């Protein structure tokens, strides 16, 4: 057995274990039986019932919109924060890096309750904006750390070379750093989605 195959087989097993419940749920969504134990023929009735419920469709649309907005903001914000910390070595960089690590260790429910209490005291109306701020607070630390890790693997001489060649900071970021950060930006978008 080759080394390549030794890695691929366990990886395929892990992926199968992760996706098997979702595939099972989709298959049983076509089952006409009211309980999923026995197959009683194929039907689209359950899916029609889901899409006929306007409140459910509207809440799903809100979730997709929220996920898109949070992912888009993370793709823009996280590389900028990572670059500011890595390339410029701003004061307080270590403190902000450690605070992001601490924010990642908090359980989501604790952070959610903290935001709920803060919004209550600030008399902030609960709605899309409050959800957006909460989700952004949950995903930005992970996104920044992903981009920071990718930046550590790129030589800082590339950034200095763009400055020596007369590029502005924005041009150097867009033409040199952003293409190098593309894998971490895609990972950021997927994780924050």
């Amino acid at each position: 057995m080759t080394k390549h195959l030794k890695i691929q087989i366990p990886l395929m097993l892990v992926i199968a274990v992760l996706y098997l419940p979702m595939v099972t749920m989709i298959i049983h969504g076509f089952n006409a039986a009211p309980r999923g134990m026995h197959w009683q023929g194929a039907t689209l009735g359950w899916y029609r019932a889901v899409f006929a419920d306007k409140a459910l469709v509207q809440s799903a649309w809100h979730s997709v919109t929220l996920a898109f907005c949070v992912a888009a903001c993370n793709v823009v914000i996280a590389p900028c924060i990572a670059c500011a910390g890595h390339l410029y070595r701003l004061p307080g960089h270590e403190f902000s890096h450690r605070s992001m690590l601490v924010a990642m260790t908090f359980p989501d429910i604790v952070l959610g309750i903290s935001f709920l209490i803060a919004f209550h005291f600030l008399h902030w109306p609960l709605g899309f904006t409050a959800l957006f701020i909460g989700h952004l607070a949950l995903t930005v630390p992970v996104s920044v750390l992903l981009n920071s890790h990718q930046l550590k693997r790129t030589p800082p001489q590339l950034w200095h070379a763009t400055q020596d060649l007369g590029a502005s900071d924005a041009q150097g970021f867009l033409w040199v750093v952003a293409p190098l950060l593309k894998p971490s930006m895609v990972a950021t978008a997927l994780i924050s989605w």
Side-chain angles (χ1 to χ4, degrees), residues 152-175:
K152 285 179 185 172
R153 295 179 7 185
T154 59
Q157 292 85 358
L158 292 174
W159 177 256
H160 299 303
T162 61
Q163 293 175 333
D164 290 343
L165 293 171
S168 67
D169 287 349
Q171 290 171 331
F173 178 78
L174 289 174
W175 294 342

Side-chain angles (χ1 to χ4, degrees), residues 181-193:
L181 287 178
K182 194 185 301 183
S184 64
M185 290 167 80
V186 170
T188 293
L190 292 174
I191 286 175
S192 58
W193 175 268

Side-chain angles (χ1 to χ4, degrees), residues 27 39-40 52-53 61 64 73 116-117 132 136 156-157 177 183 192:
I27 290 171
W39 187 262
Q40 290 184 355
D53 187 352
W61 180 248
V64 168
C73 281
L116 184 63
I117 292 169
F132 175 75
L136 208 57
Q157 292 85 358
V177 178
S192 58

